[in-house]
Amino acid sequence: MNVGDKHSIFTRAVHAGEEKYKYADSITVPIVQTSSFVFKNMEDVRSYTSKEHYRYEYGRYGNPTQKAAETKLAALDGAQDCLLFDSGMSAIVTTLLALMSKGDHLVITDDAYKQTLMFVIKELPRFGLEYTVVKMGDYEAMENAVKTNTTLIFSESPTNPYLNIVDLVKLKEIKDRTGVTTMIDSTFATPFNQRPLEWGVDLVMHSATKYLGGHNDILAGVLLGGSALMGKVRDFQKATGGIIDPHCCYLLLRGLKTFALRVDHQNRSGQKVAEWLESCRYVHRVYYPGLPSHQHHYIAKAQMKGFGGVVSFMLKTDMNGVGRFLDALKISRIAPSLGGVETLITHPASVSYYNVEKKEREMLGITDDLVRLAVGIEDPDDLIEDIYQAMKTAFD
Ligand SMILES: *Cc1c(COP(=O)(O)O)cnc(C)c1O
């Protein structure tokens, strides 16, 4: 590799993980679309199995296109090792099951990604694994939840949909006092805005479906960290599968080339849209870590470079009014997900939480007037104009 730590993240996004001269003099990393790899002869088999040289063996254990994407991602997050999965959830589930054994205990914060929390609550006990859910931001509760059998503290930052921020200094202190491994889902931040490994977190996970892929066209998951922990997860993945295919790795590599450019733009657009929303007469409240009004603004400022493209806000209206507003938008698409080039907007009460009773939804903070805007790479002024015309159409 010719590009390393001394280069900026913009340069690393383009070049890191790639050989300067590639197969057939290609500029781009080739898609090695194969399920298995040929041994030249039995001597080749012997020298491989006796670890005299490294080579690829079978697709489930690795592929050169995958390796290039993993090396690039490791360079972006400053990680020793990286492992790709077929989705973000696959990365989370594989990691939890690889690192926990019967009788072990997990601590998780309460506003984690809904499917992560559901997996912990519904599935872990089936395998004899215990958990404690603690309130996000309550570090005393987090530390008190640690027991002798606690193997992992799992948190997320920023969180969905309120963009709460974990204090990585406090998390490190708890890790130092308890000796428990820490893991952060850093999907909303990306390595452009936050590099948790540098703050002492042991494992970082991303849904590469979001900003890293960046084009709303793939599902992928990333795990990053030190070799010992990563080795355990890699061995487990060899058996469980959940691997990413070479073509998807190529799309991820292609997306990563412009990753820094996109997130830099999305940071600025997110801030601009959030500030505009905060001054808008149809809006009741805005949640964005880049706003001084956000409860964790001071933590975000200390540990993040930018605050991303997701802005959540509450409209001065009811369920029907939100519906009229969403239907009147011309640019933003009604869809879950975030971090891609297209701006997407969701109404959590009627999408992610459609099957949860209104009272229970509200206890989880998912009120009917809440929408989550995931800003893409369009011109923020066009987005603002579109949002404003939709509000006038819906509310006047
Ligand atoms: C989307 C997402 C996931 C799950 O990732 P998939 O790629 O959809 O499986 C996990 N955590 C966060 C914060 C997410 O946004």
Side-chain angles (χ1 to χ4, degrees):
M1 203 205 308
N2 303 296
V3 170
D5 270 0
K6 70 181 171 67
H7 296 99
S8 107
I9 197 161
F10 291 90
T11 309
R12 268 181 282 152
V14 179
H15 293 292
E18 301 193 16
E19 302 292 337
K20 187 169 180 192
Y21 300 107
K22 304 181 182 76
Y23 178 75
D25 304 321
S26 169
I27 294 175
T28 56
V29 173
I31 305 170
V32 183
Q33 192 72 46
T34 187
S35 53
S36 189
F37 298 84
V38 176
F39 288 100
K40 289 184 190 67
N41 48 44
M42 290 311 288
E43 170 53 24
D44 200 9
V45 174
R46 192 205 57 76
S47 78
Y48 167 68
T49 53
S50 61
K51 298 195 164 44
E52 280 165 32
H53 74 279
Y54 180 78
R55 50 154 288 150
Y56 296 94
E57 181 198 341
Y58 183 64
R60 193 169 356 91
Y61 309 151
N63 171 289
T65 317
Q66 176 187 347
K67 188 75 197 163
E70 288 173 345
T71 313
K72 194 186 282 292
L73 286 160
L76 294 175
D77 247 301
Q80 233 172 20
D81 197 2
C82 171
L83 190 58
L84 278 167
F85 297 82
D86 51 347
S87 72
M89 280 316 298
S90 182
I92 293 170
V93 168
T94 308
T95 306
L96 294 190
L97 295 182
L99 299 182
M100 296 181 75
S101 301
K102 189 176 172 188
D104 283 351
H105 172 253
L106 170 90
V107 176
I108 185 167
T109 41
D110 64 349
D111 68 350
Y113 184 69
K114 189 177 163 222
Q115 288 299 341
T116 306
L117 209 53
M118 286 295 115
F119 175 74
V120 166
I121 293 170
K122 280 169 60 185
E123 312 298 343
L124 286 191
R126 293 202 302 121
F127 300 95
L129 300 167
E130 302 170 12
Y131 67 87
T132 304
V133 180
V134 296
K135 198 168 160 33
M136 176 75 167
D138 189 344
Y139 299 93
E140 212 175 292
M142 182 184 271
E143 187 159 352
N144 288 339
V146 172
K147 308 192 281 184
T148 48
N149 58 340
T150 306
T151 33
L152 203 61
I153 298 175
F154 186 103
S155 193
E156 196 174 302
S157 191
T159 62
N160 178 45
Y162 289 110
L163 294 313
N164 289 321
I165 310 289
V166 167
D167 188 326
L168 296 176
V169 173
K170 294 215 169 101
L171 189 64
K172 171 74 164 54
E173 287 168 3
I174 292 174
K175 177 193 138 175
D176 288 344
R177 284 195 292 265
T178 61
V180 176
T181 301
T182 52
M183 177 167 172
I184 288 269
D185 179 340
S186 194
T187 301
F188 274 51
T190 82
F192 189 88
N193 286 331
Q194 168 175 286
R195 295 173 25 120
L197 296 171
E198 290 173 359
W199 295 75
V201 171
D202 297 301
L203 290 168
V204 169
M205 172 271 156
H206 300 280
S207 165
T209 310
K210 316 294 166 51
Y211 292 97
L212 300 177
H215 291 72
N216 291 321
D217 57 2
I218 60 165
L219 284 148
V222 190
L223 184 73
L224 301 129
S227 317
L229 285 171
M230 294 296 295
K232 279 193 193 174
V233 182
R234 179 172 279 111
D235 285 347
F236 194 68
Q237 189 199 37
K238 281 184 177 174
T240 53
I243 54 130
I244 184 167
D245 76 274
H247 188 254
C248 188
C249 289
Y250 180 80
L251 290 172
L252 176 55
L253 275 168
R254 184 185 159 113
L256 284 172
K257 303 246 172 180
T258 56
F259 148 74
L261 279 178
R262 287 185 282 103
V263 177
D264 195 26
H265 179 82
Q266 282 163 304
N267 281 343
R268 273 180 271 123
S269 298
Q271 186 75 36
K272 189 164 191 178
V273 172
E275 282 170 12
W276 178 80
L277 285 168
E278 204 163 48
S279 70
C280 175
R281 64 192 156 99
Y282 301 106
V283 175
H284 165 58
R285 254 201 97 156
V286 185
Y287 297 85
Y288 185 71
L291 294 175
S293 59
H294 191 279
Q295 63 166 345
H296 296 144
H297 176 61
Y298 66 101
I299 310 172
K301 252 190 7 192
Q303 65 190 40
M304 297 176 79
K305 185 161 143 190
F307 311 107
V310 178
V311 186
S312 295
F313 57 99
M314 287 165 176
L315 288 158
K316 290 179 188 162
T317 185
D318 57 8
M319 196 88 156
N320 291 332
V322 172
R324 289 197 306 277
F325 164 67
L326 295 178
D327 286 344
L329 287 165
K330 293 183 175 135
I331 299 175
S332 308
R333 304 281 192 262
I334 306 170
S337 202
L338 60 118
V341 294
E342 292 91 359
T343 293
L344 304 179
I345 193 160
T346 58
H347 182 223
S350 51
V351 183
S352 312
Y353 292 83
Y354 76 94
N355 53 357
V356 180
E357 288 284 328
K358 185 176 162 108
K359 244 206 173 108
E360 203 182 325
R361 273 202 318 258
E362 282 176 351
M363 262 160 58
L364 296 166
I366 307 298
T367 51
D368 287 353
D369 56 358
L370 176 75
V371 290
R372 187 193 76 185
L373 179 73
V375 173
I377 63 163
E378 303 94 335
D379 189 318
D381 292 331
D382 288 336
L383 295 175
I384 289 169
E385 190 183 285
D386 186 38
I387 292 167
Y388 191 49
Q389 72 73 27
M391 286 172 171
K392 283 193 289 191
T393 307
F395 309 134
D396 285 350

